[in-house]
Amino acid sequence: QVQLVESGGGLVQAGGSLSLSCAASGRTLSPYVLAWFRQAPGEERAFVAALKWSDGRIADVEALKNRFTISRDIAKTMLYLQINDLKPEDTAVYYCAARYLNPSHSAKDYTDWGQGTQVTVSS
């Protein structure tokens, strides 16, 4: 099992930027895909971006890719999500997730989850 702890959320104004962090521990991460999802009130958890820990290659990024950047720090075992030009519709709880081997857009395919960090964007 991979333990994940997110941080970095908060209240920001539209047009601003935010960097979310996810501390990963518990297992060797090299065979895993780590991903970011988000869940707005009343909506299902939605895929944002994922990368393969072994080589850092971005496995997939949703249509938001021009504003969202996923990255990792191997030495710190940290996953990051940089969000630029924030919009009110980006308001959601952002989750870090892990899945063995293959990336997926489906939340149900991920076995390990953090507790989430709230991002609120004011207009």
Side-chain angles (χ1 to χ4, degrees):
Q1 185 177 7
V2 178
Q3 285 82 46
L4 303 165
V5 179
E6 302 93 336
S7 61
L11 173 64
V12 295
Q13 287 190 330
S17 298
L18 208 58
S19 180
L20 305 182
S21 301
C22 173
S25 63
R27 280 188 176 267
T28 300
L29 296 176
S30 56
Y32 282 85
V33 170
L34 268 67
W36 287 98
F37 284 77
R38 67 182 186 178
Q39 188 167 19
E43 297 185 9
E44 293 187 354
R45 201 164 291 190
F47 174 82
V48 176
L51 61 70
K52 294 186 176 183
W53 190 265
S54 58
D55 57 13
R57 280 194 300 169
I58 295 172
D60 204 352
V61 180
E62 226 355 293
L64 313 160
K65 59 185 175 184
N66 59 330
R67 297 191 296 117
F68 287 62
T69 303
I70 186 172
S71 63
R72 78 187 188 334
D73 184 320
I74 292 179
K76 297 180 180 179
T77 61
M78 296 287 290
L79 182 74
Y80 302 102
L81 183 69
Q82 175 71 30
I83 314 172
N84 297 322
D85 189 24
L86 278 154
K87 304 178 185 303
E89 53 264 38
D90 294 323
T91 295
V93 178
Y94 284 72
Y95 294 93
C96 179
R99 182 174 193 249
Y100 190 71
L101 287 184
N102 298 313
S104 170
H105 280 217
S106 177
K108 67 179 186 294
D109 291 335
Y110 286 78
T111 55
D112 302 300
W113 292 87
Q115 82 289 350
T117 186
Q118 176 72 47
V119 172
T120 303
V121 184
S122 62
S123 57

